[in-house]
Each structure stands twice: as structure tokens, then as C-alpha cells.
mmCIF file of all heavy atoms in Angstrom:
data_model
loop_
_atom_site.group_PDB
_atom_site.id
_atom_site.type_symbol
_atom_site.label_atom_id
_atom_site.label_comp_id
_atom_site.label_asym_id
_atom_site.label_seq_id
_atom_site.Cartn_x
_atom_site.Cartn_y
_atom_site.Cartn_z
ATOM 1 N N ASP I 25 -10.205 -10.945 -8.958
ATOM 2 C CA ASP I 25 -9.566 -11.767 -7.960
ATOM 3 C C ASP I 25 -8.083 -11.981 -8.215
ATOM 4 O O ASP I 25 -7.286 -11.929 -7.282
ATOM 5 C CB ASP I 25 -10.249 -13.162 -7.989
ATOM 6 C CG ASP I 25 -11.690 -13.123 -7.433
ATOM 7 O OD1 ASP I 25 -12.018 -12.174 -6.788
ATOM 8 O OD2 ASP I 25 -12.478 -14.101 -7.685
ATOM 9 N N HIS I 26 -7.735 -12.149 -9.472
ATOM 10 C CA HIS I 26 -6.326 -12.328 -9.811
ATOM 11 C C HIS I 26 -5.554 -11.052 -9.547
ATOM 12 O O HIS I 26 -4.396 -11.116 -9.045
ATOM 13 C CB HIS I 26 -6.175 -12.694 -11.335
ATOM 14 C CG HIS I 26 -4.753 -12.973 -11.660
ATOM 15 N ND1 HIS I 26 -4.049 -14.123 -11.314
ATOM 16 C CD2 HIS I 26 -3.924 -12.250 -12.493
ATOM 17 C CE1 HIS I 26 -2.879 -14.117 -11.803
ATOM 18 N NE2 HIS I 26 -2.742 -13.033 -12.506
ATOM 19 N N LEU I 27 -6.122 -9.866 -9.822
ATOM 20 C CA LEU I 27 -5.392 -8.630 -9.589
ATOM 21 C C LEU I 27 -5.190 -8.458 -8.100
ATOM 22 O O LEU I 27 -4.103 -8.023 -7.678
ATOM 23 C CB LEU I 27 -6.288 -7.507 -10.139
ATOM 24 C CG LEU I 27 -6.308 -7.280 -11.667
ATOM 25 C CD1 LEU I 27 -7.297 -6.268 -12.048
ATOM 26 C CD2 LEU I 27 -4.933 -6.933 -12.185
ATOM 27 N N ILE I 28 -6.192 -8.783 -7.258
ATOM 28 C CA ILE I 28 -5.960 -8.684 -5.853
ATOM 29 C C ILE I 28 -4.874 -9.598 -5.329
ATOM 30 O O ILE I 28 -4.035 -9.238 -4.567
ATOM 31 C CB ILE I 28 -7.324 -8.941 -5.128
ATOM 32 C CG1 ILE I 28 -8.330 -7.796 -5.435
ATOM 33 C CG2 ILE I 28 -7.117 -9.002 -3.616
ATOM 34 C CD1 ILE I 28 -9.691 -8.071 -4.914
ATOM 35 N N ASP I 29 -4.937 -10.900 -5.794
ATOM 36 C CA ASP I 29 -3.999 -11.862 -5.453
ATOM 37 C C ASP I 29 -2.561 -11.425 -5.856
ATOM 38 O O ASP I 29 -1.570 -11.581 -5.089
ATOM 39 C CB ASP I 29 -4.280 -13.239 -5.949
ATOM 40 C CG ASP I 29 -5.525 -13.824 -5.365
ATOM 41 O OD1 ASP I 29 -5.940 -13.352 -4.253
ATOM 42 O OD2 ASP I 29 -6.094 -14.743 -5.941
ATOM 43 N N SER I 30 -2.496 -10.909 -7.070
ATOM 44 C CA SER I 30 -1.110 -10.475 -7.573
ATOM 45 C C SER I 30 -0.596 -9.294 -6.789
ATOM 46 O O SER I 30 0.573 -9.210 -6.529
ATOM 47 C CB SER I 30 -1.243 -10.113 -9.070
ATOM 48 O OG SER I 30 -1.615 -11.195 -9.796
ATOM 49 N N PHE I 31 -1.487 -8.412 -6.427
ATOM 50 C CA PHE I 31 -1.170 -7.148 -5.652
ATOM 51 C C PHE I 31 -0.508 -7.533 -4.333
ATOM 52 O O PHE I 31 0.549 -7.142 -3.932
ATOM 53 C CB PHE I 31 -2.375 -6.245 -5.437
ATOM 54 C CG PHE I 31 -2.096 -5.065 -4.585
ATOM 55 C CD1 PHE I 31 -1.461 -3.940 -5.201
ATOM 56 C CD2 PHE I 31 -2.424 -5.033 -3.313
ATOM 57 C CE1 PHE I 31 -1.209 -2.815 -4.404
ATOM 58 C CE2 PHE I 31 -2.215 -3.895 -2.483
ATOM 59 C CZ PHE I 31 -1.608 -2.790 -3.084
ATOM 60 N N TYR I 32 -1.208 -8.388 -3.580
ATOM 61 C CA TYR I 32 -0.672 -8.784 -2.234
ATOM 62 C C TYR I 32 0.393 -9.792 -2.301
ATOM 63 O O TYR I 32 1.102 -10.054 -1.314
ATOM 64 C CB TYR I 32 -1.827 -9.284 -1.362
ATOM 65 C CG TYR I 32 -2.759 -8.129 -0.822
ATOM 66 C CD1 TYR I 32 -4.012 -7.990 -1.445
ATOM 67 C CD2 TYR I 32 -2.395 -7.341 0.183
ATOM 68 C CE1 TYR I 32 -4.836 -6.978 -0.951
ATOM 69 C CE2 TYR I 32 -3.227 -6.320 0.645
ATOM 70 C CZ TYR I 32 -4.420 -6.228 0.127
ATOM 71 O OH TYR I 32 -5.288 -5.181 0.491
ATOM 72 N N GLY I 33 0.579 -10.461 -3.498
ATOM 73 C CA GLY I 33 1.597 -11.471 -3.633
ATOM 74 C C GLY I 33 2.942 -10.904 -3.930
ATOM 75 O O GLY I 33 3.911 -11.610 -3.883
ATOM 76 N N GLU I 34 3.037 -9.617 -4.233
ATOM 77 C CA GLU I 34 4.306 -9.065 -4.574
ATOM 78 C C GLU I 34 5.246 -8.944 -3.295
ATOM 79 O O GLU I 34 4.719 -8.730 -2.189
ATOM 80 C CB GLU I 34 4.205 -7.586 -5.129
ATOM 81 C CG GLU I 34 3.582 -7.610 -6.508
ATOM 82 C CD GLU I 34 3.548 -6.189 -7.085
ATOM 83 O OE1 GLU I 34 4.250 -5.310 -6.472
ATOM 84 O OE2 GLU I 34 2.890 -6.002 -8.129
ATOM 85 N N PRO I 35 6.559 -9.224 -3.391
ATOM 86 C CA PRO I 35 7.438 -9.225 -2.208
ATOM 87 C C PRO I 35 7.385 -7.828 -1.488
ATOM 88 O O PRO I 35 7.516 -6.795 -2.089
ATOM 89 C CB PRO I 35 8.765 -9.418 -2.856
ATOM 90 C CG PRO I 35 8.490 -10.123 -4.121
ATOM 91 C CD PRO I 35 7.215 -9.608 -4.635
ATOM 92 N N GLY I 36 7.238 -7.887 -0.192
ATOM 93 C CA GLY I 36 7.196 -6.653 0.584
ATOM 94 C C GLY I 36 5.897 -5.909 0.583
ATOM 95 O O GLY I 36 5.830 -4.875 1.286
ATOM 96 N N ARG I 37 4.916 -6.388 -0.189
ATOM 97 C CA ARG I 37 3.690 -5.600 -0.283
ATOM 98 C C ARG I 37 2.901 -5.516 0.969
ATOM 99 O O ARG I 37 2.446 -4.465 1.423
ATOM 100 C CB ARG I 37 2.821 -6.181 -1.389
ATOM 101 C CG ARG I 37 1.456 -5.537 -1.590
ATOM 102 C CD ARG I 37 1.632 -4.129 -2.055
ATOM 103 N NE ARG I 37 2.055 -4.070 -3.451
ATOM 104 C CZ ARG I 37 2.393 -2.953 -4.115
ATOM 105 N NH1 ARG I 37 2.491 -1.849 -3.415
ATOM 106 N NH2 ARG I 37 2.737 -3.076 -5.423
ATOM 107 N N LYS I 38 2.727 -6.709 1.712
ATOM 108 C CA LYS I 38 1.990 -6.729 2.939
ATOM 109 C C LYS I 38 2.642 -5.851 4.004
ATOM 110 O O LYS I 38 1.958 -5.150 4.779
ATOM 111 C CB LYS I 38 1.857 -8.152 3.482
ATOM 112 C CG LYS I 38 0.932 -9.005 2.500
ATOM 113 C CD LYS I 38 0.770 -10.383 3.065
ATOM 114 C CE LYS I 38 -0.130 -11.206 2.256
ATOM 115 N NZ LYS I 38 -0.246 -12.677 2.720
ATOM 116 N N GLN I 39 4.023 -5.786 4.003
ATOM 117 C CA GLN I 39 4.742 -5.008 4.944
ATOM 118 C C GLN I 39 4.472 -3.488 4.710
ATOM 119 O O GLN I 39 4.253 -2.674 5.570
ATOM 120 C CB GLN I 39 6.242 -5.247 5.021
ATOM 121 C CG GLN I 39 6.993 -4.533 6.004
ATOM 122 C CD GLN I 39 8.456 -4.779 5.920
ATOM 123 O OE1 GLN I 39 8.974 -5.712 5.133
ATOM 124 N NE2 GLN I 39 9.269 -4.075 6.663
ATOM 125 N N GLN I 40 4.456 -3.151 3.410
ATOM 126 C CA GLN I 40 4.212 -1.824 2.971
ATOM 127 C C GLN I 40 2.853 -1.366 3.377
ATOM 128 O O GLN I 40 2.641 -0.251 3.887
ATOM 129 C CB GLN I 40 4.429 -1.670 1.429
ATOM 130 C CG GLN I 40 4.266 -0.226 0.978
ATOM 131 C CD GLN I 40 4.335 -0.139 -0.508
ATOM 132 O OE1 GLN I 40 4.151 -1.120 -1.237
ATOM 133 N NE2 GLN I 40 4.515 1.056 -1.078
ATOM 134 N N VAL I 41 1.835 -2.182 3.187
ATOM 135 C CA VAL I 41 0.452 -1.930 3.554
ATOM 136 C C VAL I 41 0.343 -1.752 5.041
ATOM 137 O O VAL I 41 -0.317 -0.771 5.538
ATOM 138 C CB VAL I 41 -0.434 -3.069 3.110
ATOM 139 C CG1 VAL I 41 -1.851 -2.809 3.679
ATOM 140 C CG2 VAL I 41 -0.618 -3.123 1.613
ATOM 141 N N SER I 42 1.038 -2.575 5.819
ATOM 142 C CA SER I 42 0.993 -2.438 7.293
ATOM 143 C C SER I 42 1.642 -1.124 7.787
ATOM 144 O O SER I 42 1.150 -0.506 8.673
ATOM 145 C CB SER I 42 1.778 -3.653 7.914
ATOM 146 O OG SER I 42 1.779 -3.560 9.279
ATOM 147 N N GLU I 43 2.735 -0.744 7.155
ATOM 148 C CA GLU I 43 3.442 0.486 7.529
ATOM 149 C C GLU I 43 2.563 1.741 7.115
ATOM 150 O O GLU I 43 2.390 2.655 8.012
ATOM 151 C CB GLU I 43 4.726 0.569 6.784
ATOM 152 C CG GLU I 43 5.797 -0.366 7.269
ATOM 153 C CD GLU I 43 7.093 -0.404 6.433
ATOM 154 O OE1 GLU I 43 7.079 0.379 5.411
ATOM 155 O OE2 GLU I 43 8.042 -1.087 6.728
ATOM 156 N N LEU I 44 1.852 1.718 5.999
ATOM 157 C CA LEU I 44 1.056 2.770 5.676
ATOM 158 C C LEU I 44 -0.188 2.825 6.538
ATOM 159 O O LEU I 44 -0.729 3.948 6.887
ATOM 160 C CB LEU I 44 0.590 2.647 4.207
ATOM 161 C CG LEU I 44 1.724 2.965 3.159
ATOM 162 C CD1 LEU I 44 1.226 2.581 1.751
ATOM 163 C CD2 LEU I 44 2.097 4.478 3.166
ATOM 164 N N GLU I 45 -0.700 1.635 6.963
ATOM 165 C CA GLU I 45 -1.767 1.632 7.933
ATOM 166 C C GLU I 45 -1.457 2.342 9.217
ATOM 167 O O GLU I 45 -2.234 3.073 9.792
ATOM 168 C CB GLU I 45 -2.246 0.180 8.175
ATOM 169 C CG GLU I 45 -3.446 0.053 9.079
ATOM 170 C CD GLU I 45 -3.696 -1.390 9.367
ATOM 171 O OE1 GLU I 45 -3.200 -2.308 8.733
ATOM 172 O OE2 GLU I 45 -4.627 -1.595 10.310
ATOM 173 N N GLY I 46 -0.190 2.063 9.716
ATOM 174 C CA GLY I 46 0.189 2.711 10.923
ATOM 175 C C GLY I 46 0.332 4.248 10.765
ATOM 176 O O GLY I 46 -0.067 4.985 11.703
ATOM 177 N N LYS I 47 0.768 4.740 9.591
ATOM 178 C CA LYS I 47 0.785 6.168 9.386
ATOM 179 C C LYS I 47 -0.642 6.744 9.328
ATOM 180 O O LYS I 47 -0.820 7.918 9.696
ATOM 181 C CB LYS I 47 1.570 6.478 8.054
ATOM 182 C CG LYS I 47 2.976 6.140 8.132
ATOM 183 C CD LYS I 47 3.686 6.500 6.835
ATOM 184 C CE LYS I 47 5.254 6.124 6.859
ATOM 185 N NZ LYS I 47 5.876 6.516 5.597
ATOM 186 N N LEU I 48 -1.519 5.979 8.743
ATOM 187 C CA LEU I 48 -2.913 6.527 8.629
ATOM 188 C C LEU I 48 -3.546 6.647 10.043
ATOM 189 O O LEU I 48 -4.173 7.706 10.263
ATOM 190 C CB LEU I 48 -3.802 5.473 7.846
ATOM 191 C CG LEU I 48 -3.727 5.508 6.323
ATOM 192 C CD1 LEU I 48 -4.469 4.330 5.690
ATOM 193 C CD2 LEU I 48 -4.345 6.828 5.788
ATOM 194 N N LEU I 49 -3.313 5.693 10.882
ATOM 195 C CA LEU I 49 -3.915 5.706 12.260
ATOM 196 C C LEU I 49 -3.252 6.794 13.113
ATOM 197 O O LEU I 49 -3.859 7.205 14.073
ATOM 198 C CB LEU I 49 -3.736 4.319 12.922
ATOM 199 C CG LEU I 49 -4.487 3.166 12.217
ATOM 200 C CD1 LEU I 49 -4.247 1.849 12.927
ATOM 201 C CD2 LEU I 49 -5.977 3.467 12.193
ATOM 202 N N SER I 50 -2.040 7.135 12.750
ATOM 203 C CA SER I 50 -1.413 8.312 13.536
ATOM 204 C C SER I 50 -1.458 9.629 12.751
ATOM 205 O O SER I 50 -0.786 10.586 13.155
ATOM 206 C CB SER I 50 0.103 7.948 13.736
ATOM 207 O OG SER I 50 0.756 7.746 12.507
ATOM 208 N N ASP I 51 -2.378 9.730 11.864
ATOM 209 C CA ASP I 51 -2.640 10.941 11.065
ATOM 210 C C ASP I 51 -1.433 11.559 10.325
ATOM 211 O O ASP I 51 -1.294 12.703 10.273
ATOM 212 C CB ASP I 51 -3.235 11.967 12.009
ATOM 213 C CG ASP I 51 -4.632 11.500 12.579
ATOM 214 O OD1 ASP I 51 -5.347 10.846 11.807
ATOM 215 O OD2 ASP I 51 -4.978 11.836 13.692
ATOM 216 N N GLN I 52 -0.544 10.709 9.894
ATOM 217 C CA GLN I 52 0.726 11.160 9.273
ATOM 218 C C GLN I 52 0.457 11.246 7.716
ATOM 219 O O GLN I 52 1.295 11.838 7.001
ATOM 220 C CB GLN I 52 1.879 10.240 9.522
ATOM 221 C CG GLN I 52 2.219 10.141 10.949
ATOM 222 C CD GLN I 52 3.449 9.235 11.119
ATOM 223 O OE1 GLN I 52 4.384 9.094 10.310
ATOM 224 N NE2 GLN I 52 3.454 8.508 12.323
ATOM 225 N N ILE I 53 -0.617 10.577 7.212
ATOM 226 C CA ILE I 53 -0.888 10.560 5.848
ATOM 227 C C ILE I 53 -2.369 10.362 5.597
ATOM 228 O O ILE I 53 -3.111 9.899 6.441
ATOM 229 C CB ILE I 53 -0.074 9.402 5.129
ATOM 230 C CG1 ILE I 53 -0.088 9.577 3.614
ATOM 231 C CG2 ILE I 53 -0.650 8.119 5.612
ATOM 232 C CD1 ILE I 53 0.794 8.510 2.950
ATOM 233 N N THR I 54 -2.810 10.887 4.417
ATOM 234 C CA THR I 54 -4.301 10.746 4.108
ATOM 235 C C THR I 54 -4.450 9.355 3.407
ATOM 236 O O THR I 54 -3.496 8.741 2.983
ATOM 237 C CB THR I 54 -4.785 11.819 3.165
ATOM 238 O OG1 THR I 54 -4.019 11.722 1.903
ATOM 239 C CG2 THR I 54 -4.517 13.195 3.788
ATOM 240 N N VAL I 55 -5.730 8.962 3.328
ATOM 241 C CA VAL I 55 -6.061 7.624 2.710
ATOM 242 C C VAL I 55 -5.606 7.758 1.228
ATOM 243 O O VAL I 55 -5.037 6.752 0.667
ATOM 244 C CB VAL I 55 -7.455 7.269 2.816
ATOM 245 C CG1 VAL I 55 -7.852 6.042 2.041
ATOM 246 C CG2 VAL I 55 -7.839 7.055 4.308
ATOM 247 N N THR I 56 -6.023 8.824 0.588
ATOM 248 C CA THR I 56 -5.607 8.934 -0.822
ATOM 249 C C THR I 56 -4.109 8.930 -1.080
ATOM 250 O O THR I 56 -3.639 8.317 -1.997
ATOM 251 C CB THR I 56 -6.147 10.300 -1.388
ATOM 252 O OG1 THR I 56 -7.653 10.324 -1.179
ATOM 253 C CG2 THR I 56 -5.877 10.437 -2.837
ATOM 254 N N GLY I 57 -3.359 9.596 -0.175
ATOM 255 C CA GLY I 57 -1.949 9.581 -0.278
ATOM 256 C C GLY I 57 -1.338 8.238 -0.068
ATOM 257 O O GLY I 57 -0.348 7.845 -0.749
ATOM 258 N N ALA I 58 -1.902 7.401 0.913
ATOM 259 C CA ALA I 58 -1.502 6.117 1.144
ATOM 260 C C ALA I 58 -1.624 5.134 -0.008
ATOM 261 O O ALA I 58 -0.802 4.415 -0.465
ATOM 262 C CB ALA I 58 -2.164 5.523 2.346
ATOM 263 N N VAL I 59 -2.835 5.302 -0.634
ATOM 264 C CA VAL I 59 -3.104 4.447 -1.821
ATOM 265 C C VAL I 59 -2.172 4.877 -2.969
ATOM 266 O O VAL I 59 -1.742 4.007 -3.684
ATOM 267 C CB VAL I 59 -4.573 4.617 -2.213
ATOM 268 C CG1 VAL I 59 -4.891 3.907 -3.534
ATOM 269 C CG2 VAL I 59 -5.496 4.033 -1.170
ATOM 270 N N LYS I 60 -2.016 6.160 -3.150
ATOM 271 C CA LYS I 60 -1.011 6.611 -4.236
ATOM 272 C C LYS I 60 0.348 6.072 -4.055
ATOM 273 O O LYS I 60 0.979 5.644 -5.021
ATOM 274 C CB LYS I 60 -1.030 8.172 -4.206
ATOM 275 C CG LYS I 60 -0.215 8.762 -5.385
ATOM 276 C CD LYS I 60 -0.299 10.257 -5.379
ATOM 277 C CE LYS I 60 0.446 10.837 -6.561
ATOM 278 N NZ LYS I 60 1.825 10.444 -6.702
ATOM 279 N N GLN I 61 0.832 6.012 -2.842
ATOM 280 C CA GLN I 61 2.170 5.409 -2.493
ATOM 281 C C GLN I 61 2.172 3.879 -2.931
ATOM 282 O O GLN I 61 3.184 3.433 -3.394
ATOM 283 C CB GLN I 61 2.521 5.588 -1.069
ATOM 284 C CG GLN I 61 3.117 6.968 -0.735
ATOM 285 C CD GLN I 61 3.729 7.079 0.601
ATOM 286 O OE1 GLN I 61 4.321 6.087 1.047
ATOM 287 N NE2 GLN I 61 3.607 8.154 1.226
ATOM 288 N N LEU I 62 1.113 3.211 -2.667
ATOM 289 C CA LEU I 62 1.045 1.819 -2.982
ATOM 290 C C LEU I 62 1.183 1.490 -4.410
ATOM 291 O O LEU I 62 1.806 0.485 -4.825
ATOM 292 C CB LEU I 62 -0.338 1.157 -2.429
ATOM 293 C CG LEU I 62 -0.385 0.924 -0.878
ATOM 294 C CD1 LEU I 62 -1.800 0.440 -0.618
ATOM 295 C CD2 LEU I 62 0.582 -0.156 -0.487
ATOM 296 N N PHE I 63 0.663 2.383 -5.200
ATOM 297 C CA PHE I 63 0.662 2.196 -6.703
ATOM 298 C C PHE I 63 1.786 3.014 -7.367
ATOM 299 O O PHE I 63 1.853 2.948 -8.641
ATOM 300 C CB PHE I 63 -0.668 2.524 -7.310
ATOM 301 C CG PHE I 63 -1.715 1.502 -6.920
ATOM 302 C CD1 PHE I 63 -2.573 1.632 -5.809
ATOM 303 C CD2 PHE I 63 -1.864 0.306 -7.740
ATOM 304 C CE1 PHE I 63 -3.520 0.666 -5.448
ATOM 305 C CE2 PHE I 63 -2.858 -0.654 -7.325
ATOM 306 C CZ PHE I 63 -3.650 -0.488 -6.190
ATOM 307 N N ASP I 64 2.539 3.830 -6.671
ATOM 308 C CA ASP I 64 3.588 4.533 -7.246
ATOM 309 C C ASP I 64 4.844 3.648 -7.329
ATOM 310 O O ASP I 64 5.479 3.249 -6.321
ATOM 311 C CB ASP I 64 3.915 5.787 -6.333
ATOM 312 C CG ASP I 64 4.865 6.711 -7.011
ATOM 313 O OD1 ASP I 64 5.332 6.371 -8.134
ATOM 314 O OD2 ASP I 64 5.179 7.819 -6.453
ATOM 315 N N LYS I 65 5.299 3.394 -8.566
ATOM 316 C CA LYS I 65 6.468 2.513 -8.758
ATOM 317 C C LYS I 65 7.720 3.020 -8.124
ATOM 318 O O LYS I 65 8.585 2.276 -7.656
ATOM 319 C CB LYS I 65 6.615 2.270 -10.236
ATOM 320 C CG LYS I 65 5.482 1.599 -10.898
ATOM 321 C CD LYS I 65 5.766 1.297 -12.336
ATOM 322 C CE LYS I 65 4.572 0.550 -13.028
ATOM 323 N NZ LYS I 65 4.803 0.310 -14.463
ATOM 324 N N GLN I 66 7.875 4.352 -8.080
ATOM 325 C CA GLN I 66 9.076 4.903 -7.528
ATOM 326 C C GLN I 66 9.217 4.697 -6.020
ATOM 327 O O GLN I 66 10.263 4.817 -5.519
ATOM 328 C CB GLN I 66 9.191 6.442 -7.923
ATOM 329 C CG GLN I 66 9.290 6.650 -9.360
ATOM 330 C CD GLN I 66 9.319 8.130 -9.672
ATOM 331 O OE1 GLN I 66 9.252 8.952 -8.754
ATOM 332 N NE2 GLN I 66 9.523 8.492 -10.964
ATOM 333 N N SER I 67 8.065 4.525 -5.384
ATOM 334 C CA SER I 67 8.098 4.342 -3.891
ATOM 335 C C SER I 67 8.404 2.944 -3.477
ATOM 336 O O SER I 67 8.542 2.737 -2.287
ATOM 337 C CB SER I 67 6.785 4.878 -3.326
ATOM 338 O OG SER I 67 5.740 3.941 -3.691
#
């Protein structure tokens, strides 16, 4: 529970998730690629 709260509590995280969701729905990225971007510190 704490990991989930911490993940979504980071600044800009919800916006990043929303943007990746839009790319997923428009077939611009795969689910695996989207998740990798979420956890990639350089992105």
C-alpha cells in the first residue's frame, strides 16, 4: 500500500500516467514500454 501511495504521490506522476495512457489508446506505445517509462529515472 505504501509503495502504491508513494508512486502516485510523486510530483507530476499522475500527469505522466495520464499522458502514457493517451499514447496507449492511440497505439503509439506498448503497455510494457509505457510501464518501463514510468520506472525509468531518466525519463
Side-chain angles (χ1 to χ4, degrees):
D25 290 342
H26 183 73
L27 287 173
I28 293 172
D29 291 340
S30 298
F31 176 79
Y32 285 104
E34 289 186 13
R37 179 65 74 188
K38 291 183 179 179
Q39 182 181 354
Q40 185 186 16
V41 171
S42 179
E43 291 173 355
L44 287 172
E45 182 183 349
K47 291 181 179 180
L48 280 171
L49 298 178
S50 59
D51 296 326
Q52 297 179 36
I53 193 173
T54 64
V55 174
T56 304
V59 173
K60 186 177 183 301
Q61 281 194 30
L62 284 174
F63 290 93
D64 187 357
K65 294 182 180 179
Q66 295 180 355
S67 66

